[in-house]
Amino acid sequence: AWTDLSASEKTVDFDRYRIYRSLQSGTGFALIGTATTAAYIDSTVVTGGTYFYRVTAIDRGAPLFPGTALESLRLQNSQSP
């Protein structure tokens, strides 16, 4: 989960979040899913893997904050989902 946008940041045109994942910090991010709430379950991770995530907000097809990741985090998975 990540910090949800405030109502004023979402505006009436807020559509969804896009979730990206990479095996490297800061590069190589690929879209793995979307969510309409501030949570996403990545069911494709492998035990012992290290993953980096980015989340962006989409406003009916266009980024709300172009070029900016709302959240970036590193996850080292020690258990299978």
Side-chain angles (χ1 to χ4, degrees):
W2 54 89
T3 304
D4 203 1
L5 293 174
S6 68
S8 63
E9 289 173 315
K10 282 186 177 178
T11 71
V12 293
D13 290 333
F14 172 79
D15 189 39
R16 66 191 174 279
Y17 293 103
R18 286 185 180 166
I19 300 93
Y20 299 85
R21 183 182 69 201
S22 176
L23 299 175
Q24 302 171 15
S25 177
T27 186
F29 286 91
L31 180 66
I32 61 166
T34 62
T36 56
T37 62
Y40 179 81
I41 296 174
D42 185 352
S43 60
T44 64
V45 296
V46 177
T47 300
T50 299
Y51 303 91
F52 300 87
Y53 294 87
R54 270 201 183 140
V55 177
T56 60
I58 301 299
D59 182 357
R60 305 260 185 233
L64 280 174
F65 303 97
T68 303
L70 297 178
E71 297 278 343
S72 294
L73 62 100
R74 175 182 176 183
L75 172 69
Q76 186 163 3
N77 183 27
S78 59
Q79 299 184 54
S80 294

